[in-house]
Amino acid sequence: MQKKWRTIALTTTITSLLLSSAPLYAAETPAGTDYQQGISAVELDQDVTLQLTSVLNKVAPGQQIQFTGVDKNIESMWQINGTLTGKSDAEFIQQYNPTKGRVESTTIYYKAEGLKQVLDPALQTGVSSFLKTFDTGNVFKPEALWRVYFPYQDNEPRNYWVIWGTNQSLEIDLDRNNQITAKISTPISSANSKFTNQANRALKSLGITKTIAFEYAVKYKQGEKEFTWIYRDDNDLNRVVIGAKTGKTWAVVNEFGKDWADDKDFARSFAKPKLSKNQAIAAVKTKASSLFGLNLKGYSVTIKNNEYTFTKKGAPTLLGKINKKGKFYSLELIPANGIKS
């Protein structure tokens, strides 16, 4: 299982972010010669070792650190493995960039039973409170706990905890006021039949001939901003988003609608607006009404490449993407208050 977690962490690279200036703690090393032999075996010089331990002391203070292996043959990035003991035993992987002289990422893998030992009590309370509204069926079952820190990653989160379960995850973004985002994936056969029928009708309404059957319904909640069901296939080619509370359709996407050959073809095809503003409103107004209950009267339109944004002061915003034929293959409604539910 640990090997599987490590593979997921390295291949998906889902996290990274800068820690606030928390105090550094001196690394507590086990007594005896085993630790020194471990350092020798992984061939880490003093400066690199200090950088690695410094980051570990930030994200896992008060734990004993032992480096157990290093691979210096991973495309100019060193991979360092090790273990933590103390509050709860764990394994970790760090990636060190020898060219830039910095620790690019740190991921610590705890077993689920270590949650109460290493997760701050305030965060535990926040998770419990969140799950009361998100997981009313009590199906969220933690199987593993990760601490992830990727300070130089472009996408977010960069600094967070993630609690894993079977087809489940819950992230705590430490750089965004401990915002919680959670997902529970359900086979389409077990999904709400009313929402499933609604998702199928919404996808069909785009008029793209090719579709693929939905395979999952993902229950998704991000703080107080979004609480939805996401209907999708394994490759996310077809996607429909429905409000968990309101039952309102928020987005419909069919990636099969894309018909350009490559980036050059895309740039050439959309160098000039494919549809005028009036043509765009005419092309989408019926779908806007049937899918979202949106009347586009009084809306203005901005155009960038193949993206059309329909806006009106105080009203929801409609985002649409067209293909070379001028047909909308993606439509998303952004509520005026920013909350999808």
Side-chain angles (χ1 to χ4, degrees):
M1 180 63 76
Q2 291 285 4
K3 193 174 293 183
K4 178 182 178 183
W5 297 342
R6 289 196 291 269
T7 302
I8 295 172
L10 292 174
T11 55
T12 58
T13 315
I14 48 175
T15 54
S16 327
L17 66 168
L18 222 63
L19 275 174
S20 56
S21 52
L24 295 179
Y25 296 85
E28 299 179 51
T29 59
T33 59
D34 288 345
Y35 178 75
Q36 296 301 327
Q37 290 172 354
I39 288 291
S40 176
V42 298
E43 298 177 351
L44 294 172
D45 64 36
Q46 186 175 16
D47 179 63
V48 174
T49 302
L50 286 173
Q51 289 188 61
L52 295 167
T53 55
S54 182
V55 173
L56 287 166
N57 282 325
K58 285 183 179 181
V59 299
Q63 302 255 55
Q64 296 176 330
I65 302 166
Q66 181 162 355
F67 299 101
T68 58
V70 61
D71 186 345
K72 296 183 179 181
N73 301 308
I74 307 178
E75 297 181 358
S76 74
M77 193 77 68
W78 298 356
Q79 178 180 308
I80 297 93
N81 295 70
T83 61
L84 297 178
T85 55
K87 296 178 182 178
S88 181
D89 292 351
E91 294 184 17
F92 66 80
I93 292 177
Q94 293 179 283
Q95 290 184 314
Y96 180 80
N97 188 325
T99 303
K100 296 182 178 180
R102 69 189 190 189
V103 182
E104 297 284 349
S105 69
T106 299
T107 307
I108 303 172
Y109 309 93
Y110 296 96
K111 294 181 179 179
E113 50 265 35
L115 191 151
K116 291 185 178 180
Q117 284 70 48
V118 297
L119 192 63
D120 184 271
L123 295 181
Q124 293 183 43
T125 299
V127 168
S128 296
S129 178
F130 179 93
L131 289 176
K132 286 179 180 178
T133 58
F134 174 69
D135 181 32
T136 53
N138 295 316
V139 298
F140 192 86
K141 305 296 181 185
E143 295 179 5
L145 176 68
W146 294 4
R147 178 67 173 89
V148 189
Y149 179 46
F150 284 38
Y152 306 106
Q153 178 176 280
D154 290 335
N155 54 300
E156 296 178 341
R158 301 186 187 96
N159 179 30
Y160 66 95
W161 286 97
V162 56
I163 303 171
W164 294 101
T166 301
N167 300 319
Q168 308 168 351
S169 68
L170 183 149
E171 293 178 355
I172 308 170
D173 190 337
L174 300 176
D175 284 351
R176 292 196 169 188
N177 197 31
N178 301 330
Q179 177 179 269
I180 296 176
T181 301
K183 302 174 186 177
I184 296 178
S185 180
T186 302
I188 201 67
S189 58
S190 302
N192 181 306
S193 59
K194 177 183 176 181
F195 284 173
T196 300
N197 291 334
Q198 180 178 334
N200 283 319
R201 289 194 301 270
L203 185 64
K204 185 177 180 180
S205 73
L206 287 179
I208 307 298
T209 304
K210 186 176 181 180
T211 61
I212 188 169
F214 294 119
E215 296 177 87
Y216 310 101
V218 182
K219 192 177 186 181
Y220 177 87
K221 192 171 191 288
Q222 183 182 58
E224 300 302 320
K225 296 180 181 179
E226 183 169 349
F227 191 11
T228 58
W229 282 98
I230 304 171
Y231 281 78
R232 51 162 293 176
D233 56 273
D234 202 35
N235 294 311
D236 205 22
L237 294 170
N238 289 169
R239 181 172 66 259
V240 174
V241 180
I242 297 174
K245 292 182 179 180
T246 64
K248 185 178 181 66
T249 300
W250 291 107
V252 186
V253 181
N254 186 346
E255 298 286 344
F256 288 119
K258 294 179 177 179
D259 56 359
W260 50 89
D262 49 34
D263 289 345
K264 288 184 179 180
D265 187 24
F266 177 88
R268 182 171 54 249
S269 300
F270 300 104
K272 295 180 180 180
K274 183 68 62 174
L275 301 175
S276 69
K277 295 180 180 180
N278 288 336
Q279 287 174 327
I281 289 178
V284 80
K285 66 179 182 181
T286 300
K287 291 183 177 64
S289 177
S290 62
L291 286 170
F292 310 117
L294 184 67
N295 186 338
L296 290 180
K297 184 177 181 179
Y299 269 73
S300 60
V301 186
T302 58
I303 306 169
K304 181 180 179 181
N305 299 320
N306 73 327
E307 299 178 9
Y308 287 72
T309 303
F310 304 83
T311 57
K312 180 180 178 180
K313 187 176 181 180
T317 295
L318 180 64
L319 305 178
K321 295 181 181 180
I322 64 170
N323 59 21
K324 290 163 62 175
K325 299 181 182 69
K327 178 172 286 189
F328 284 90
Y329 67 87
S330 174
L331 292 169
E332 179 181 2
L333 191 66
I334 309 297
N337 64 2
I339 300 173
K340 294 180 182 179
S341 63

